[in-house]
Each structure stands twice: as C-alpha cells, then as structure tokens.
Amino acid sequence: MTAGSLAGPSLPVVGGKVLLTALREADIDRVVEACTTPEAERWLETPVPYRREDAESFVREFAPAGWRGEHDERVWAIRESLGGPLAGVIGLREGSREVGFWLHPAAQGRGLMADAVRTAVGHADGCLTWPEVRWACYDGNVASMRVARAAGFHYLGTRAGLHRGVPELQHHAVRPAHGEPADALPWPDLG
C-alpha cells in the first residue's frame, strides 16, 4: 500500500507550530511507540497491550474510513513540517463534537498539542460550523487538562464515566464557537 492510497485530507491544516495532515504508512512505527507507553495505556482508549497490528489497522483502515464517511471521526497526523515525522494524532468526532488527541513522547513539552487543538477546533468552527467542541479526560490526566486549558476550553466540572469497564471520574470542558458558557467553572489547580 502506498501513502497516496490512504484516504485523508488532501491539504494540510496549518497551525502556528504544527501542520495537520493525513496519516502515512511511514507513521506506523511512531504510532506503536506512542501507544505502548505507560501513559498511553493508562489514559487512551486503545487496546492493551497495543500491538503493531493495531497501529497498522489504525493508519490503514480506521483513519481513512473516517475520511471516506464510514464513521464519524476525522483523524489528522500532527507534524512540525510537511515531510516531518509523526508528532501525534488529533481527531474530531462529529456525533459527540468532541476532540481527542495524543502526542509521541519525543514531541511532548513544546506546546505542539495546544497548537494542534486550537488548529483543529478552528477547523471545526470554520469548516464544520460546529457551535462548540467538547473535550474530556479521566481524573489524573493533568497533561490533557493543561492542553485543553491552553487551547481555550472552558471547564465544566466532573462526572462519572467508564474507562475500560471500570467507573472513573471524568473532567469535561467545552470551547464554544462564540462566547463563554454560562456554566463555566474555574479550572482546578493543575500544578
């Protein structure tokens, strides 16, 4: 399979620090590296243990299927340059109007994800005309909370959720296309 045969966005979405592009065959190894860390196993909704076959299916089947309209999630690769390695992945789910994301360990700590989230949310505001984009994470995922706050999301509090079949508290936030939600709360202390 060649990179040209994977369905995805035909043009990159340009942010301040990142480009959002289609996933490529060459990204598979980086997906495996990112999704086999203890942090990924703790916070993401990926299979555990995560195997190379999972990454191949994600890059070759799941991501392109979303761009073909076979499910409601559009997934972009996050890169620092058009030909650069995969820094991470970000997706927008149309049904829930929610953003989800992860970064490769080598790309963390440089503000790339906050820029990627602002870029994807701007795409949702401008191209998809969503009235808002939602975000959620499990309690304790301070890195994800910092990204959402830096990307301009308004904190809405916590509620019960399920993670891998186990009850777990979730933090929720929203970024409206216009204004601030009336029920916004102060962000918790994120250290």
Side-chain angles (χ1 to χ4, degrees):
M1 178 176 288
T2 64
S5 65
L6 297 177
S10 56
L11 295 172
V13 180
V14 180
K17 295 181 176 185
V18 300
L19 300 169
L20 307 183
T21 72
L23 283 160
R24 303 173 184 149
E25 203 49 40
D27 296 332
I28 291 172
D29 288 339
R30 296 277 287 189
V31 172
V32 172
E33 291 169 7
C35 292
T36 55
T37 65
E39 294 80 13
E41 289 180 355
R42 170 66 180 102
W43 304 121
L44 300 180
E45 299 285 346
T46 54
V48 175
Y50 195 84
R51 302 175 319 269
R52 182 173 179 79
E53 299 84 48
D54 298 314
E56 290 169 348
S57 175
F58 178 73
V59 170
R60 294 176 183 160
E61 298 167 23
F62 180 81
W67 289 102
R68 290 190 303 262
E70 296 170 17
H71 60 76
D72 76 339
E73 187 169 356
R74 306 300 179 269
V75 176
W76 287 270
I78 301 167
R79 301 181 197 285
E80 292 182 80
S81 65
L82 196 54
L86 179 74
V89 168
I90 189 163
L92 292 173
R93 289 189 187 120
E94 192 165 354
S96 60
R97 293 187 175 148
E98 188 174 56
V99 64
F101 48 82
W102 54 259
L103 269 181
H104 187 279
Q108 294 174 2
R110 300 197 317 265
L112 301 179
M113 186 53 77
D115 184 54
V117 172
R118 284 189 297 270
T119 302
V121 169
H123 174 78
D125 289 346
C127 297
L128 304 177
T129 65
W130 290 2
E132 64 186 22
V133 177
R134 297 180 185 116
W135 161 92
C137 79
Y138 295 104
D139 192 38
N141 191 346
V142 174
S144 185
M145 293 176 75
R146 286 180 179 146
V147 165
R149 183 179 64 186
F153 280 73
H154 300 279
Y155 188 67
L156 299 178
T158 61
R159 61 179 167 228
L162 281 178
H163 183 52
R164 302 188 194 284
V166 177
E168 193 164 345
L169 195 63
Q170 284 186 317
H171 294 270
H172 290 266
V174 64
R175 182 158 161 201
H178 306 288
E180 181 175 336
D183 54 349
L185 302 168
W187 279 93
D189 179 20
L190 301 177

